[in-house]
Amino acid sequence: EAQVTQNPRYLITVTGKKLTVTCSQNMNHEYMSWYRQDPGLGLRQIYYSMNVEVTDKGDVPEGYKVSRKEKRNFPLILESPSPNQTSLYFCASSRFTDYEQYFGPGTRLTVT
Amino acid sequence: DAKTTQPNSMESNEEEPVHLPCNHSTISGTDYIHWYRQLPSQGPEYVIHGLTSNVNNRMASLAIAEDRKSSTLILHRATLRDAAVYYCILSRHQTGANNLFFGTGTRLTVIP
């Protein structure tokens, strides 16, 4: 089944404790991205990647890092999480030339 | 990036057609119009997209005004499963970024 998976689905952590949210897709998509969703603000893009070893900032990249060492994986790294990064995070992927993005199920992160 | 304007919420009776409007008065000639929807507790899913001509697929129809400053997503027979937040998005596809600015969308309530 074609899908985007994210792990973990729920995470509660403390300020400053490094964490990684994994994202994997099995559709051989070139393009992957991370969004965060906050009440009243909709979804905002954090980082995106157009292919392996090619990443770029989205609209709200501060406090986040990403890497794209393999085509299927695009982890989101929070080196020193803060409470303002409490949010619902979505990973998405698509073919570079396609119009349809596929979204993962979301990761709800709480930073206390 | 050009932005879109949508009503915050709409209601429809089950099995009735639904017309979800979107204004995009600053659209440029190369902007594609995308619609995504987000069901409760899920990631967004692609609905339809278009450039100039009206488009139909198994989920919905997209009617684009002749001047492209507005568009309407048409659900031909609303079902309870169509209750979701619907996002109208513009993207310049040739940038290759698939960078979608989601905004806050229209929350559709379907009344049984």
Side-chain angles (χ1 to χ4, degrees):
Chain A
E1 180 191 353
Q3 60 182 351
V4 178
T5 56
Q6 297 179 225
N7 282 292
R9 295 289 313 280
Y10 302 90
L11 178 60
I12 301 174
T13 189
V14 295
T15 298
K17 186 177 181 182
K18 180 179 179 180
L19 67 91
T20 299
V21 183
T22 65
C23 173
S24 183
Q25 50 92 5
N26 62 1
M27 296 168 279
N28 202 37
H29 286 165
E30 300 91 356
Y31 181 87
M32 298 184 74
S33 65
W34 277 102
Y35 294 84
R36 61 177 289 173
Q37 184 172 32
D38 303 290
L41 296 176
L43 283 92
R44 295 176 292 168
Q45 191 178 58
I46 303 170
Y47 269 95
Y48 65 93
S49 168
M50 291 197 282
N51 216 324
V52 175
E53 302 292 2
V54 181
T55 64
D56 208 345
K57 297 177 181 179
D59 299 313
V60 288
E62 294 77 22
Y64 304 94
K65 286 176 58 177
V66 292
S67 69
R68 187 90 182 274
K69 294 183 170 49
E70 305 167 282
K71 198 171 187 179
R72 63 183 294 125
N73 297 321
F74 189 45
L76 179 69
I77 303 156
L78 285 73
E79 295 267 358
S80 183
S82 63
N84 65 12
Q85 292 177 300
T86 292
S87 187
L88 180 58
Y89 292 87
F90 290 100
C91 179
S93 74
S94 67
R95 281 181 8 196
F96 185 77
T97 56
D98 210 348
Y99 297 90
E100 178 176 356
Q101 284 199 41
Y102 294 81
F103 282 79
T107 294
R108 185 165 294 281
L109 172 66
T110 302
V111 183
T112 61
Chain B
D1 287 324
K3 298 296 189 287
T4 63
T5 303
Q6 299 177 253
N8 288 332
S9 61
M10 290 184 65
E11 284 187 353
S12 173
N13 293 318
E14 194 177 10
E15 299 190 4
E16 296 282 323
V18 183
H19 291 233
L20 297 165
C22 181
N23 288 321
H24 27 79
S25 58
T26 59
I27 192 170
S28 75
T30 53
D31 284 342
Y32 285 78
I33 302 161
H34 303 253
W35 284 83
Y36 279 72
R37 72 179 186 181
Q38 188 173 18
L39 300 169
S41 303
Q42 294 188 27
E45 65 174 345
Y46 168 85
V47 177
I48 201 166
H49 79 276
L51 184 61
T52 55
S53 304
N54 294 344
V55 184
N56 300 295
N57 67 19
R58 64 175 178 81
M59 288 182 71
S61 296
L62 176 59
I64 301 172
E66 196 167 332
D67 64 4
R68 300 209 328 126
K69 293 184 185 298
S70 66
S71 61
T72 302
L73 179 71
I74 303 164
L75 307 179
H76 296 286
R77 276 180 78 242
T79 69
L80 297 178
R81 288 190 67 254
D82 291 323
V85 178
Y86 287 78
Y87 298 96
C88 170
I89 303 156
L90 303 181
S91 73
R92 292 185 176 87
H93 184 70
Q94 75 270 24
T95 67
N98 261 329
N99 191 354
L100 305 179
F101 182 84
F102 273 78
T104 54
T106 296
R107 181 173 298 278
L108 175 66
T109 300
V110 180
I111 302 166

